[in-house]
Amino acid sequence: MKILAIETSCDETAVAVINVRGEHDIGIVSNVVSSQVKLHAKWGGVVPALAAREHAKNIEHVFETALKEAGITDIAKQIDLFAVTRGPGLGPSLLVGLTFARTLAWKWDKPLVGVDHLDGHIHANWLEPEKPLADIFPALNLVVSGGHTELILMRSHDDFKIVGETQDDAVGEAFDKVARLLGLGYPGGPAIAKLAQRGDPEKYPLPRPMLKGDNLDFSYSGLKTAVLYLIRDLNVKRMGAKMKADIAASFQNAAVDVLVRKTVRAAEHFGVKAILLSGGVSANASLRERLHAAAEELGTPFYKPQMKYTTDNAAMIAVAAYFIHKNETTAPSWKTVSMDANLRLGMH
Ligand code: KG4
Ligand code: ZN
């Protein structure tokens, strides 16, 4: 079956077509992402009103490009299902994608599945995986992005429970804010990761919040503030390249350390059969390596998305829609799919 999906929850306008021949045989037919990063970079972060306007401006073109790349000339015959991100995210941005998707489903008289953005990130693991995801449930997901830091217990493709989450900033947000303190621009994650390669991760001891007890929640605002104070206390007018690299490496070390330790704690507690990593921060090489090593030590299979599917895209939304649709008894209609900017996985 061929699924066309639309994603506009934040600052990427994305349309993809996938071809599902079976759970373990999912092909990407086209995957188009139009990024607004340059536009928002001058403001140091995503500006919601600007993001929605850009989505509205670009979606038609991104859609046409995805159809062309997929060789789709007859939607009625070649597409079986439409999918769209219905939340969480920026309300005005979500509405652009949702309205577009509802119009398509109405026009072509096809079912439309509304998808949780995080369900999409999790299912990015099913896109061209290194090894098949067989016998993985119950699985533990560490979902880390610009807006979310969550540990999610997954008992099946549509059974999610949030077992830990951030109490304040998301880890991706902390990467972005620390990058700004170091004058590295937006988005900060990739810039910090690159700089950290040349730095000493042990140089500056930074806090690892909420590690005591059996707590599975996270907190990243304290770590960000600790970096702010560190820079102030070092009392240097202009930070040299080496000092910046050491700060980046020490910050990344502390941030990743907490993610890995909490994931291990949760995996042991729930006795899971697999650990899955996902979300934009899953592009971080140090996190990928360290979580892999920790899972190996536990003897638990570890899965991570291909690098190209770590950040926002519509192919992951299409895969999640496939699994939702497979378990549904009635065909989902454009009439009932609604936007929810505060959607929480497992609560709808
Ligand atoms: O999932 P995503 O593309 O968008 C949201 O749903 O939020 O995640 C974007 C976040 C940003 O905060 C970005 O700085 C972070 O992912 N990120 C990284 C890396 N690449 C992207 N963080 C750390 N290391 C990276 N290599
Ligand atoms: Zn995302």
Side-chain angles (χ1 to χ4, degrees), residues 19-288:
N19 187 11
V20 186
R21 288 168 294 258
E23 192 169 317
H24 300 293
D25 190 2
I26 298 173
I28 312 277
V29 188
S30 67
N31 185 27
V32 182
V33 181
S34 166
S35 177
Q36 306 174 3
V37 157
K38 280 201 188 117
L39 173 78
H40 298 288
K42 48 179 180 232
W43 305 99
V46 179
V47 185
L50 280 185
R53 198 183 67 189
E54 285 300 298
H55 285 308
K57 218 159 71 182
N58 297 331
I59 189 143
E60 184 85 43
H61 179 66
V62 174
F63 170 69
E64 294 294 342
T65 310
L67 286 185
K68 203 162 161 210
E69 282 184 12
I72 308 263
T73 47
D74 186 343
I75 291 180
K77 283 207 184 102
Q78 290 173 282
I79 297 291
D80 302 293
L81 180 71
F82 289 111
V84 66
T85 305
R86 60 178 290 253
L90 305 170
S93 291
L94 286 163
L95 268 183
V96 175
L98 192 72
T99 309
F100 196 83
R102 293 181 80 198
T103 309
L104 285 176
W106 165 76
K107 180 173 174 194
W108 299 102
D109 195 21
K110 306 269 178 196
L112 172 66
V113 176
V115 177
D116 185 307
H117 182 74
L118 299 193
D119 189 356
H121 272 304
I122 289 170
H123 278 96
N125 278 285
W126 274 259
L127 291 169
E128 299 163 353
E130 283 167 13
K131 51 182 189 273
L133 289 94
D135 192 24
I136 59 159
F137 299 124
L140 181 72
N141 288 283
L142 174 65
V143 186
V144 277
S145 71
H148 296 268
T149 304
E150 293 178 9
L151 279 167
I152 298 171
L153 187 64
M154 187 182 181
R155 292 198 191 86
S156 70
H157 283 284
D158 58 358
D159 181 346
F160 302 100
K161 189 174 177 221
I162 300 171
V163 294
E165 64 188 316
T166 185
Q167 303 297 301
D168 39 59
D169 292 356
V171 64
E173 199 179 343
F175 269 88
D176 294 335
K177 285 178 179 167
V178 168
R180 210 179 308 162
L181 292 174
L182 293 174
L184 299 177
Y186 175 84
I192 295 260
K194 190 161 173 236
L195 191 58
Q197 286 173 347
R198 290 185 274 123
D200 174 3
E202 310 290 342
K203 175 83 181 186
Y204 302 110
L206 289 165
R208 271 103 169 125
M210 309 193 71
L211 274 181
K212 290 205 184 81
D214 54 6
N215 189 303
L216 295 178
D217 288 330
F218 303 90
S219 164
Y220 278 101
S221 88
L223 176 56
K224 167 200 68 190
T225 311
V227 174
L228 175 73
Y229 290 155
L230 173 67
I231 293 172
R232 191 195 58 189
D233 294 346
L234 287 171
N235 199 17
V236 273
K237 287 263 162 7
R238 285 185 55 208
M239 277 182 283
K242 176 74 179 107
M243 185 179 274
K244 269 191 184 182
D246 287 342
I247 295 173
S250 300
F251 161 75
Q252 179 176 267
N253 189 21
V256 170
D257 208 23
V258 179
L259 291 175
V260 172
R261 287 211 245 170
K262 294 256 171 165
T263 307
V264 166
R265 185 180 287 174
E268 282 180 319
H269 180 80
F270 294 104
V272 296
K273 286 193 189 166
I275 296 173
L276 277 66
L277 174 65
S278 61
V281 183
S282 74
N284 187 277
S286 167
L287 174 60
R288 289 165 87 88

